[in-house]
Amino acid sequence: KTYAHRADPKKEAFVIDTPPPTMSGRMHVGHAYSYAQTDFIARFKRMTGYEVVYPFGTDDNGVATERLVERERKVLASRMRRDEFIALCEEYVEETRPGFVDDWKRIGISCDFDLFYSTISDEVRALSQKHFLDLVRSGRAYRKEAPMIWDPKLQTALSQTELEDREQETWFCDIAFKTTDGHDVLIATTRPEMLSACVAVFVHPDDTRWTHLHGHELVVPVYSHTVRVMADTRVDPEKGTGIVMCCTFGDQTDIEWYRQYGLPLRIAITKDGKMSELAARYAGLTIREAREAIIADMESSGELVSKKRITHSVNVGERSGVEIEILETPQWFITVLDRKADLESAAASIDWKPAHMRVRFDNWNAGLNWDWCVSRQRFFGVPIPIWYDERGEPVLPGDDELPVDPMTHKPKGMRDVALTPETDVLDTWATSSLTPMIVRSLLSDDDPANRWPLDLRPQAHDIITFWLYNSTIRGLEHEGSAPWKTAAISGWVLDPKGKKMSKSKGNVIDPRVVMEKYSADALRYAAAIVKLGDDAPFQEKDVQQGFKTATKLFNAVKFSVMHLERAPKNSLSEEPSALVDRWLRVKLERTLRDYLLSFEEYAYDKARAAADRFFWDVFTDDYIEFAKHRLYDENDDTAYATLRLAMLSAIKLYAPLMPFVTEEVFHYYPFEEADSIHSTQIVASGFSDDDALVRGDLLSAIIGMIRKAKSEAQVSMRKEVEVLTLTMPKDELALLDDEMRAEIRAIMSVSTIETEEGERSVALTL
């Protein structure tokens, strides 16, 4: 229970809106890095006096889980009874969740795993349904039959956030429409299969090439129905022939024209991605089949003037990879477009780490054209808690009835009333966008940590437009402000060649394999090299450096403990008096200052670099070697006190980054009274000694020159030097007092020291 949250009014809380990983497979190396980076912050905050609330959840409802279950259980949801498939999903989630969560424990995430939630649990379903009903009652959620983004493969509506651009090959066709008096008018299109849905033709009002066509009609090829030529500034005169056919619906502009000009509705594509009866002889063909067939037919008839193969960017479903269509279907929406200014202000109130990531939010917000469609035509999700009466009016349950499934329940007092249940479920983002509220629901009402806004939303940059944007919408709607004070945005881990990892490319790095070879600490150390927000290639050498650092720390503690166990008991509270002890203390204080400031700015990479400089350069390379001769003198109390302080400080500095090895070595010696290194505090003492810093740095430089000279002479570092001739500038020679001379003799086995004025150099007489 080291990381268990305990409500403590005396401590300032730090509440993390932990990303709930989607149960669509095992942890990948991107997870390992981004969750480790969040954990660095959590552990740091805990070790600087905060009461950290760090829950853990799994996002296990929705399309991702459905597809995983279909793949793993070798079934198709469309060929099963709804209740049977839902039961199969629930069974699979319960069976696999423990192993899934173990991946996060293995990487050392310091969550309180008793503060746990599942997005398909009864508690979360009730919370999600309540917040949805609140929006329905306030008029901020509505149902409407409207043109909607549709995924033909998954056969469900999608929101704008669930799309991605993908390059695809297709034909770019010049097609001959006819004027009513028989003249050809060429229109360029990549979608000739949509001709049956053509309801108008548009030109730019300032394009003089087509002024003579304004208000006239054209005959549509293949289908021979007529459409009117209209002028609109949204036409790009430079694209194709400068004439655009409007089909209901080919794209967003078609929808705008349909609404603005009251155009007819002609649906050419069915929900399963095939041509409708409107397409006549092409009915029943897939979109791609129809495209090829209609091109071939127009070539034969002469209506196809030319065609060329092109590659262009198309919108595909993020989950299915299939090109989306736009169909008019009844869906539930949350109103967003009227709050774009509020959303921009909410984004400005968040402290973005790094700051430039806010641009992604603002750009998405500015370019948004749709209200948020939150209904999905799927099975395994949070049911939309609505029924419809005989007039089609929504019937809502009371909050005390939640969670409900309209397919199997009826609202109180209406058991005998004929009601039609809503069969759709909520978009998974409609529930996961509520994680700030879910986190609060895990805390008691009188817990000081149960407050708004939360402190931190950590997440990857690729879901700013999904999770962060939608959560901000919910924060504004339900609480009146953004949900967090800070958003820490992590980047992607790329393959060693800088390419995005994917199973199809065969370049995926399995973090379990890396941890088995080098340890979780080593992998976490590599994650601490990457700057927050940066995309970076996975470098095995970084993990190897982490392994070396963990090993060096282990050995340094073993060495230190060997001496500390011989130390007089009263020596460990001694104030430093020797130069090298005071120098070490100053170096430590400066390290702590840089480390604390870096972590406060979420620059854990700089904090790691500060820890490395102190541990490798100051402590192990210099101080241990400087103090070694004194550690064998049991009367030199300050050497033991300084060694203990330096070793404990190094363990603490690395504890947020490498929790396993630091916890292990902390228990080798009673460094501090605590059950765990992670329960101790990282505190700067304010120690200052400018003279010790200057003279200690000079001593370090002199010892370094002597080491180099001995190495070049190929002699042991213990080889006695009869005469050391030390040449230095006048101001440095003035610092060379008796204490420094004594240290040089003891550390490097020097008998006599002679000095000369000049540029720094050493000469050895062996």
Side-chain angles (χ1 to χ4, degrees):
K1 305 300 182 182
T2 301
Y3 313 121
H5 167 57
R6 299 170 178 85
D8 187 347
K10 297 179 182 177
K11 295 175 72 173
E12 185 176 352
F14 186 82
V15 186
I16 301 173
D17 185 11
T18 320
T22 302
M23 285 192 61
S24 56
R26 301 292 298 278
M27 173 190 277
H28 55 69
V29 74
H31 281 136
Y33 272 51
S34 62
Y35 279 81
Q37 290 163 1
T38 302
D39 191 63
F40 300 157
I41 303 300
R43 290 180 181 275
F44 168 77
K45 290 293 185 179
R46 203 177 282 116
M47 294 182 72
T48 48
Y50 289 87
E51 176 55 37
V52 175
V53 180
Y54 194 12
F56 192 85
T58 54
D59 198 3
D60 36 27
N61 80 77
V63 173
T65 304
E66 286 191 13
R67 296 187 71 195
L68 179 65
V69 171
E70 287 178 322
R71 185 171 67 249
E72 294 296 319
R73 293 291 190 257
K74 295 179 173 53
V75 298
L76 287 175
S78 59
R79 297 181 182 176
M80 296 180 66
R81 277 185 20 213
R82 177 189 178 109
D83 59 339
E84 288 179 346
F85 182 71
I86 291 174
L88 187 63
C89 289
E90 290 174 341
E91 175 188 283
Y92 181 84
V93 165
E94 289 301 317
E95 286 178 3
T96 57
R97 186 188 288 124
F100 181 71
V101 174
D102 278 347
D103 281 344
W104 273 260
K105 293 181 178 179
R106 178 71 180 86
I107 196 67
I109 305 305
S110 62
C111 292
D112 180 351
F113 285 93
D114 289 334
L115 285 180
F116 180 86
Y117 66 87
S118 154
T119 57
I120 202 62
S121 68
D122 284 350
E123 294 79 10
V124 172
R125 283 193 297 132
L127 183 145
S128 180
Q129 289 181 337
K130 178 189 181 304
H131 283 76
F132 173 74
L133 291 173
D134 286 346
L135 295 177
V136 174
R137 295 185 184 107
S138 67
R140 299 297 296 170
Y142 63 93
R143 188 173 188 259
K144 181 180 180 182
E145 187 156 347
M148 191 59 222
I149 301 168
W150 187 266
D151 188 315
K153 182 176 180 179
L154 299 178
Q155 294 189 43
T156 183
L158 300 177
S159 67
Q160 211 172 331
T161 57
E162 295 170 286
L163 307 182
E164 61 181 35
D165 293 330
R166 187 167 296 180
E167 294 295 316
Q168 290 187 0
E169 278 194 352
T170 193
W171 292 110
F172 191 65
C173 302
D174 284 334
I175 301 173
F177 282 59
K178 296 274 187 189
T179 62
T180 52
D181 57 2
H183 292 93
D184 285 351
V185 176
L186 296 188
I187 296 181
T189 181
T190 58
R191 302 210 61 185
E193 73 278 5
M194 293 292 290
L195 283 169
S196 63
C198 183
V199 292
V201 168
F202 283 89
V203 297
H204 195 282
D206 299 332
D207 190 344
T208 56
R209 292 174 298 172
W210 309 115
T211 304
H212 66 286
L213 292 178
H214 291 189
H216 290 265
E217 290 187 336
L218 298 181
V219 179
V220 178
V222 181
Y223 295 97
S224 300
H225 64 279
T226 59
V227 294
R228 190 179 177 195
V229 179
M230 308 175 74
D232 192 281
T233 56
R234 280 164 283 200
V235 176
D236 181 359
E238 302 300 320
K239 187 174 181 180
T241 61
I243 311 180
V244 180
M245 64 176 186
C246 172
C247 304
T248 51
F249 297 97
D251 59 18
Q252 170 66 24
T253 307
D254 286 348
I255 297 172
E256 294 170 6
W257 284 333
Y258 164 75
R259 289 172 174 164
Q260 181 174 343
Y261 298 107
L263 298 174
L265 180 65
R266 295 174 66 92
I267 304 298
I269 295 172
T270 60
K271 291 182 178 181
D272 59 353
K274 295 182 179 178
M275 304 307 296
S276 72
E277 294 300 320
L278 184 70
R281 63 179 178 270
Y282 308 105
L285 296 180
T286 66
I287 295 168
R288 194 167 292 275
E289 289 170 345
R291 185 177 303 163
E292 295 295 332
I294 203 169
I295 287 174
D297 289 346
M298 286 193 298
E299 281 183 307
S300 299
S301 67
E303 292 169 305
L304 182 69
V305 177
S306 66
K307 67 175 183 178
K308 63 179 178 180
R309 204 71 173 162
I310 64 165
T311 299
H312 68 153
S313 180
V314 298
N315 281 143
V316 300
E318 180 257 345
R319 294 283 185 191
S320 69
V322 171
E323 188 173 351
I324 58 96
E325 299 297 335
I326 299 176
L327 302 181
E328 186 159 88
T329 56
Q331 304 290 345
W332 279 95
F333 298 85
I334 292 176
T335 306
V336 176
L337 297 181
D338 65 350
R339 299 211 68 165
K340 291 170 79 168
D342 296 334
L343 285 159
E344 184 179 0
S345 298
S349 73
I350 299 169
D351 184 12
W352 292 78
K353 307 289 187 181
H356 65 81
M357 286 295 177
R358 179 186 156 195
V359 173
R360 300 194 184 200
F361 184 105
D362 288 341
N363 287 346
W364 175 260
N365 186 55
L368 194 67
N369 297 313
W370 307 71
D371 278 340
W372 179 11
C373 176
V374 294
S375 50
R376 294 293 180 271
Q377 292 68 51
R378 305 299 295 173
F379 293 163
F380 191 57
V382 176
I384 293 179
I386 299 284
W387 297 262
Y388 303 97
D389 63 20
E390 66 278 2
R391 298 170 300 161
E393 292 298 317
V395 176
L396 281 55
D399 289 351
D400 60 337
E401 300 176 62
L402 306 176
V404 298
D405 183 349
M407 297 288 285
T408 57
H409 297 83
K410 278 193 174 182
K412 285 182 180 178
M414 304 187 74
R415 302 288 191 249
D416 299 324
V417 179
L419 298 175
T420 302
E422 174 63 75
T423 59
D424 289 353
V425 298
L426 288 169
D427 167 25
T428 186
W429 293 106
T431 298
S432 55
S433 64
L434 294 169
T435 53
M437 294 77 168
I438 296 171
V439 169
R440 294 186 67 191
S441 75
L442 301 173
L443 307 175
S444 63
D445 292 341
D446 59 354
D447 189 331
N450 193 345
R451 51 178 167 71
W452 189 272
L454 283 63
D455 293 281
L456 176 64
R457 157 61 69 84
Q459 65 166 72
H461 60 57
D462 57 316
I463 54 171
I464 288 175
T465 57
F466 288 80
W467 192 33
L468 196 147
Y469 187 82
N470 290 341
S471 292
T472 306
I473 292 170
R474 305 307 289 271
L476 288 177
E477 292 292 350
H478 301 292
E479 298 289 344
S481 68
W484 334 271
K485 298 174 184 175
T486 302
I489 310 297
S490 58
W492 278 350
V493 181
L494 309 174
D495 77 2
K497 295 181 180 178
K499 304 290 185 182
K500 184 179 177 181
M501 293 187 195
S502 72
K503 291 179 181 178
S504 62
K505 294 178 183 177
N507 62 348
V508 174
I509 306 286
D510 188 337
R512 287 164 295 279
V513 174
V514 178
M515 288 189 283
E516 185 66 29
K517 185 176 181 180
Y518 292 111
S519 81
D521 281 332
L523 184 60
R524 288 172 62 103
Y525 180 95
I529 291 175
V530 179
K531 183 180 178 182
L532 181 66
D534 280 3
D535 293 342
F538 176 83
Q539 301 284 358
E540 191 167 2
K541 65 180 179 62
D542 293 340
V543 187
Q544 291 170 341
Q545 182 59 34
F547 182 76
K548 290 177 182 176
T549 301
T551 304
K552 185 75 169 180
L553 184 68
F554 180 87
N555 290 333
V557 172
K558 296 289 278 187
F559 171 84
S560 300
V561 169
M562 177 182 71
H563 290 285
L564 291 173
E565 285 178 338
R566 298 188 297 104
K569 290 192 189 298
N570 64 351
S571 70
L572 299 184
S573 61
E574 291 291 326
E575 285 295 313
S577 55
L579 169 62
V580 294
D581 295 338
R582 288 182 285 121
W583 172 75
L584 183 284
R585 286 286 300 274
V586 176
K587 287 288 191 181
L588 174 59
E589 281 301 306
R590 295 200 168 200
T591 296
L592 285 169
R593 180 193 62 194
D594 293 345
Y595 181 93
L596 293 168
L597 286 174
S598 296
F599 251 126
E600 289 295 343
E601 288 301 312
Y602 290 71
Y604 51 76
D605 57 317
K606 292 182 179 179
R608 175 207 48 79
D612 280 349
R613 287 193 299 271
F614 174 76
F615 177 66
W616 285 95
D617 300 343
V618 177
F619 181 55
T620 58
D621 278 5
D622 279 355
Y623 182 77
I624 285 181
E625 295 303 318
F626 293 176
K628 200 173 276 186
H629 66 283
R630 296 167 55 223
L631 294 174
Y632 290 97
D633 179 359
E634 294 187 9
N635 294 318
D636 197 335
D637 294 344
T638 62
Y640 291 112
T642 305
L643 176 66
R644 174 182 171 277
L645 173 65
M647 192 72 263
L648 175 59
S649 297
I651 297 171
K652 287 185 176 183
L653 290 171
Y654 281 122
L657 309 177
M658 299 191 295
F660 293 109
V661 68
T662 51
E663 181 68 18
E664 174 73 14
V665 299
F666 178 69
H667 296 286
Y668 287 177
Y669 182 82
F671 287 104
E672 188 171 324
E673 289 186 15
D675 293 333
S676 167
I677 184 65
H678 306 293
S679 301
T680 65
Q681 298 291 291
I682 301 173
V683 182
S685 69
F687 185 88
S688 178
D689 190 328
D690 292 342
D691 176 68
L693 178 64
V694 172
R695 294 200 300 132
D697 284 347
L698 180 58
L699 176 63
S700 175
I702 293 169
I703 298 300
M705 289 190 294
I706 300 171
R707 285 174 176 168
K708 182 179 178 182
K710 283 190 173 183
S711 179
E712 290 172 348
Q714 297 184 338
V715 298
S716 166
M717 292 297 137
R718 296 190 182 90
K719 174 71 175 178
E720 186 171 344
V721 178
E722 291 187 11
V723 179
L724 166 67
T725 304
L726 184 59
T727 305
M728 292 190 300
K730 183 177 181 180
D731 58 336
E732 291 183 351
L733 286 174
L735 299 174
L736 196 65
D737 60 8
D738 290 343
E739 183 179 17
M740 286 183 67
R741 289 172 180 269
E743 290 289 0
I744 294 168
R745 292 192 187 97
I747 295 166
M748 296 306 301
S749 302
V750 174
S751 295
T752 303
I753 299 176
E754 296 180 352
T755 60
E756 295 179 0
E757 186 176 332
E759 293 187 8
R760 275 190 195 175
S761 65
V762 295
L764 311 182
T765 301
L766 302 174

